[in-house]
C-alpha cells in the first residue's frame, strides 16, 4: 500500500465538489493512510460531518469551540496537525484560498493551516470566472511561492452550467500529489524507516516498461464485436508490481477497470479496442522502451469485412468470414531494439508447457508465461496453473499460484534480465 503508516489531514471546504472528498478519503484509507477530516462550516452544508466520521471512523470536527465543549481537544488545531504527514485541502474554495494566503485563522480548517508544519496539497474548485479573477490568481501564486503543492483545476462543464477551468482535478492527480507530498517524510514521528516515494526506487528504477492487458474487441459492425473472457487482472497485478519496483509503467488496456490508486502509479495509460489499434499504439511506443510485457488477450481472428451500418435481421443466416489477426508480439520481436526485452503469454488447454516453449521459439521472445486452460477457466480467477518458460526450458516450474505471486516472479525475472542486458 502506497500510504501505509502515513497520517493525512483532509480539509474540506464548502463547494459542490465537497462530495468528491468522500471518495478521496476512502482511497487514502484503502492505501493504508490514517485519515482525519476537518470541515469548514460551509462544507458541512454540502456533506455532513457524520458522513466523514462513518468513512474514517473518526469524528470530523467543524468548530474548535464546539469540539472542546463536547469534551474534545481544547486546542484542536494544534492536536490535529501535530504528527501528520500531509495536509490536503480538497476542494479549496476562493474564500479559503484568500484566508490561507493571508494566514487567517477564521475557522478550524484555516487555523489548522496556520499551525501546520507538514507539506500542504491544495486542490482548488470554483466557477471559471472566479478562478480567472486576478485576486484568486494572486493568492494561488502566493501559496505556491510558499512551497505548497497545487493541483490545478480541470477544464470542462461546471455544476453551474458554465464551461471552463475550475472543476476539481481528477482524484488520481490529487492522490498522486498527496503521495508525492509524503515522499520526504519519515513513516512516523520517530521512525528510522526510509522515506516514501511515489514510485519507490528499486531494481527496476527508471526503466520504461510497456504492459498490455485485457481482451481485444474485433468489430463486425458499429454495435457487435467478438472478444474473449480476459479480465485484465493479471496485467494490472504486473503493473502494480513493476511500479512498486520503480519502473515507469505505460499501460495499454482494452477498456478494463483500473483502480484509481493504480492509475496514479502509471507513467501513461491508453485505451485500445482492436488488435489493429493495439498494434499501431505499440509501434508508436516501443522505441526507447526497456521492455514489453504483452499480457493482452489479442483475438486470433477478426471479421474479414466490417459493416459501417448495423446489420439488420432479415430472416436469413448471417455468414461471417474471419481472417487471422497479425502476430503483434512476433512483429515486435522482429523490430526490437538492442537490449529490449520481450515477454508474452501462452494460454493452452493441451500440452500447455510444450506449446508455450514452442511459441517462445517461434516468436523469438525472451520469456513466456505459460498458462494452462483447464475446466476451471483462469479468466477472472485469482490463481493460475502456470510456469515461466523460454524457448528451451522452464525458468520457474509449473504450479498453481496467485496472480500477485505470478507478477512478483515476473518482476524478479525481468529485473535480472534487464540488468544482464545492460552489462
Amino acid at each position: 500500500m502506497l500510504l501505509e503508516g502515513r497520517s493525512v489531514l483532509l480539509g474540506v471546504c464548502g463547494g459542490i465538489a465537497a462530495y468528491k472528498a468522500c471518495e478521496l478519503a476512502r482511497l487514502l484509507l484503502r492505501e493504508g493512510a490514517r485519515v482525519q477530516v476537518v470541515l469548514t462550516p460551509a462544507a458541512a452544508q454540502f456533506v455532513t460531518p457524520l458522513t466523514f466520521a462513518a468513512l474514517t471512523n473518526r469524528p470530523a470536527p467543524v468548530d474548535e469551540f464546539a469540539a472542546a465543549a463536547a469534551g474534545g481537544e481544547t486546542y484542536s488545531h494544534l492536536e490535529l496537525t501535530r504528527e501528520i504527514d500531509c495536509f490536503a485541502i480538497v476542494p479549496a474554495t476562493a474564500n479559503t484560498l484568500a484566508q490561507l494566503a493571508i494566514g487567517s485563522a477564521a475557522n478550524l480548517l484555516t487555523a489548522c493551516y496556520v499551525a501546520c508544519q507538514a507539506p500542504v496539497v491544495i486542490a482548488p474548485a470554483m466557477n471559471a470566472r472566479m478562478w480567472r479573477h486576478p485576486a484568486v490568481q494572486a493568492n494561488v501564486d502566493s501559496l505556491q511561492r510558499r512551497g505548497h503543492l497545487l493541483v490545478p483545476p480541470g477544464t470542462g462543464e461546471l455544476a453551474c452550467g458554465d464551461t471552463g477551468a475550475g472543476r476539481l482535478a481528477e482524484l488520481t492527480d490529487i492522490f498522486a500529489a498527496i503521495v508525492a507530498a509524503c515522499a520526504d517524510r519519515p513513516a512516523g514521528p520517530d521512525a528510522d524507516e526510509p522515506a516514501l516515494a511515489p514510485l519507490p526506487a528499486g531494481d527496476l528504477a527508471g526503466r520504461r516498461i510497456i504492459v498490455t492487458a485485457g481482451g481485444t474487441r474485433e468489430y463486425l459492425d458499429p454495435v457487435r464485436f467478438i472478444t474473449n473472457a480476459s479480465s485484465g487482472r493479471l496485467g494490472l497485478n504486473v503493473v502494480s508490481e513493476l511500479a512498486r519496483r520503480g519502473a515507469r509503467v505505460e499501460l495499454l488496456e482494452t477498456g478494463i477497470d483500473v483502480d484509481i490508486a493504480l492509475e496514479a502509479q502509471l507513467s501513461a495509460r491508453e485505451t485500445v479496442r482492436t488488435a489493429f489499434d493495439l498494434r499501431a499504439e505499440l509501434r508508436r511506443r516501443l522505441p526507447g522502451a526497456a521492455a514489453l510485457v504483452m499480457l493482452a488477450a489479442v483475438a486470433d481472428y477478426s471479421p474479414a469485412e466490417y459493416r459501417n451500418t448495423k446489420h439488420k435481421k432479415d430472416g436469413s443466416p448471417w455468414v461471417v468470414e474471419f481472417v487471422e489477426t497479425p502476430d503483434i508480439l512476433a512483429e515486435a520481436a522482429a523490430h526490437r531494439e538492442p537490449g529490449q526485452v520481450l515477454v508474452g503469454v501462452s494460454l493452452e488447454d493441451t500440452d500447455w508447457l510444450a506449446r508455450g516453449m514452442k511459441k517462445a521459439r517461434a516468436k523469438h521472445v525472451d520469456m513466456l508465461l505459460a498458462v494452462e486452460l483447464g475446466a476451471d477457466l483462469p479468466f477472472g480467477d485469482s490463481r493460475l496453473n502456470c510456469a515461466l518458460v523460454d524457448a528451451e526450458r522452464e525458468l520457474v516450474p509449473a504450479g498453481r499460484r496467485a496472480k500477485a505471486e505470478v507478477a512478483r516472479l515476473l518482476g524478479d525475472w525481468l529485473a535480472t534480465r534487464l540488468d544482464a542486458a545492460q552489462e
Side-chain angles (χ1 to χ4, degrees), residues 375-386:
D376 53 339
L377 299 179
F379 300 119
D381 194 1
S382 61
R383 301 180 71 83
L384 301 172
N385 190 31
C386 62

Side-chain angles (χ1 to χ4, degrees), residues 139-370:
N139 291 332
V140 168
D141 290 343
S142 174
L143 294 169
Q144 287 183 300
R145 284 196 301 272
R146 288 179 202 162
H148 300 330
L149 187 53
L150 185 107
V151 187
T155 300
E157 185 177 354
L158 307 177
C160 62
D162 290 351
T163 300
R167 62 188 299 171
L168 186 68
E170 295 295 328
L171 293 186
T172 51
D173 296 331
I174 299 171
F175 174 79
I178 293 171
V179 174
C182 292
D184 296 325
R185 297 185 62 82
D190 302 311
D192 295 324
E193 301 175 21
L196 175 71
L199 295 178
D203 49 13
L204 291 173
R207 307 277 196 181
R208 185 166 76 86
I209 300 176
I210 302 169
V211 179
T212 69
T216 63
R217 301 177 179 184
E218 309 306 322
Y219 285 83
L220 296 104
D221 67 14
V223 297
R224 301 180 182 94
F225 56 85
I226 61 168
T227 188
N228 54 65
S230 174
S231 67
R233 288 183 186 175
L234 176 61
L236 297 183
N237 273 277
V238 170
V239 166
S240 179
E241 176 66 18
L242 300 184
R244 185 186 68 81
R245 302 169 87 130
R248 294 186 293 117
V249 184
E250 298 178 9
L251 174 63
L252 305 185
E253 46 81 20
T254 59
I256 59 178
D257 291 332
V258 179
D259 183 85
I260 192 170
L262 182 62
E263 186 170 357
Q265 302 176 62
L266 294 172
S267 175
R269 175 188 177 188
E270 189 72 31
T271 299
V272 293
R273 296 297 186 186
T274 71
F276 298 93
D277 294 339
L278 179 57
R279 178 199 209 184
E281 191 62 27
L282 276 174
R283 284 180 173 176
R284 187 176 74 85
R285 290 182 179 272
L286 271 174
L292 166 64
V293 182
M294 185 79 171
L295 299 178
V298 181
D300 293 324
Y301 294 91
S302 180
E305 179 185 1
Y306 171 76
R307 293 176 177 262
N308 291 317
T309 59
K310 181 184 176 183
H311 179 73
K312 308 296 191 297
K313 292 174 66 175
D314 58 7
S316 62
W318 183 11
V319 179
V320 178
E321 180 185 358
F322 290 94
V323 296
E324 287 190 0
T325 55
D327 192 327
I328 299 174
L329 189 56
E331 288 184 0
H335 298 93
R336 77 163 80 187
E337 297 176 346
Q340 200 168 56
V341 176
L342 302 182
V343 176
V345 64
S346 169
L347 178 65
E348 295 288 349
D349 53 356
T350 59
D351 299 325
W352 60 280
L353 275 173
R355 287 175 180 268
M357 289 183 233
K358 182 179 179 180
K359 287 182 182 180
R361 287 194 296 273
K363 296 174 186 287
H364 302 288
V365 297
D366 301 289
M367 187 266 280
L368 275 178
L369 170 65

